[in-house]
Each structure stands twice: as C-alpha cells, then as structure tokens.
Amino acid sequence: GVPYDLIELLFFAYRDFVSDPDRILADYGFGRAHHRVLHFVQRRPGLTIAELLDILQITKQSLNRVLKELVETGFVEQRTGTQDKRQRKLHTTPAGQDLAMRLVQLQAKRILAAHDGLGPEGGEIVARYLSGLIDASERPKVLGFLDVPARRKAD
C-alpha cells in the first residue's frame, strides 16, 4: 500500500526543519532559495555558478535573481577565477558566514535532538534512508559531493 504515514512525516519534518531558518530569513526579505545558495557557498568557498546550478538544479534565471540579492545585500561576493578569468567563484562575506552559521546551528540542533533517541547506529540508518530517497541516477554524484572536504582551497 501507499506509505501515507511516512509521506506525511516527511512533509511535516521538512516543514519544521526549514521553519526555524525561515523566520530569520524573513527578517532580511529572503526565502528558502537564498538559504540554499548561502548554505552551499558557505560550505564550499570558491564554488562556481555552474557547480551551484548543478547542486540546486534550478534555472540560471532563478539563481541569478537570488544571487544578485545576496551580493547586493553584502552576504555573498563573486571573485574572478585565477586560472580562468571567465569563471566567477562564489564566497560568503563575514556577514554571510554569520548568517549561514546561525541558520545551520538551528537545523543542527533539531537534527541532534532527533538523533538522541535513535541509539548508536541510528544516524547511519537515517543517512542510508535519506540517500535512498535521492534519484538513483543522482545518488553517486550527491554522495560523492558529501565526501568532498567542505573547505576547498580558496581561489
């Protein structure tokens, strides 16, 4: 049958997982797209626009709007690549780093609280389960992406 309970649990879990950051983002006039961009740029300094488009799987037009707002408000900066001058490398500013950390700490607190009742192998089971929800064709790329050290050498 249809696992309505799990489908609905996933909806409610996601709703609450993003609700804490949503409240802070609203103070800046930002939404979830801004959060995702800020998160990945903070986690991977020097990320290119092409790499970010691949991660988020959104249109270039959508990304450009959000990125423009993050740059204009001083949370993200674009630097020209040293090897390839056509490349724009994305970095969070100190203000962007502070905001990204505030948001991730809220989400980490929720995740760690949920982990508390799971036992020692719980986190691994949850990770395998969530990985299983990712399209099989995308899974190796996503899991490989997770293995990449978060901080690359700044360009």
Side-chain angles (χ1 to χ4, degrees):
V2 176
Y4 285 109
D5 56 341
L6 292 177
I7 290 169
E8 291 175 7
L9 278 169
L10 200 51
F11 279 126
F12 290 119
Y14 179 73
R15 177 197 69 187
D16 293 352
F17 180 68
V18 296
S19 69
D20 302 321
D22 281 352
R23 283 190 283 278
I24 291 172
L25 290 160
D27 293 341
Y28 299 92
F30 294 160
R32 291 178 187 166
H34 297 84
H35 184 191
R36 288 188 291 268
V37 168
L38 193 60
H39 175 86
F40 286 107
V41 172
Q42 163 68 14
R43 290 280 296 149
R44 291 179 169 68
L47 196 67
T48 65
I49 288 175
E51 290 168 329
L52 190 54
L53 282 167
D54 190 42
I55 290 166
L56 299 176
Q57 297 197 342
I58 58 175
T59 66
K60 199 168 187 176
Q61 187 178 358
S62 299
L63 176 60
N64 285 342
R65 178 187 61 80
V66 169
L67 197 54
K68 183 174 186 268
E69 291 171 358
L70 287 167
V71 168
E72 286 175 353
T73 51
F75 292 100
V76 171
E77 61 184 10
Q78 299 182 56
R79 301 179 194 161
T80 304
T82 48
Q83 275 80 39
D84 185 346
K85 299 292 183 206
R86 295 166 303 176
Q87 264 187 343
R88 287 179 294 166
K89 304 271 188 170
L90 303 173
H91 297 266
T92 49
T93 63
Q97 290 168 20
D98 290 346
L99 179 56
M101 289 310 296
R102 278 178 67 200
L103 301 174
V104 83
Q105 284 165 353
L106 287 170
Q107 292 183 316
K109 184 177 170 188
R110 188 176 288 275
I111 284 175
L112 294 172
H115 268 131
D116 279 349
L118 293 180
E121 72 292 332
E124 175 59 32
I125 293 168
V126 170
R128 281 201 322 261
Y129 181 79
L130 292 174
S131 298
L133 292 175
I134 298 167
D135 282 346
S137 62
E138 283 289 303
R139 200 173 302 137
K141 183 171 68 177
V142 170
L143 295 177
F145 177 82
L146 298 179
D147 288 338
V148 173
R151 299 236 172 240
R152 298 187 311 184
K153 186 172 70 78
D155 190 22

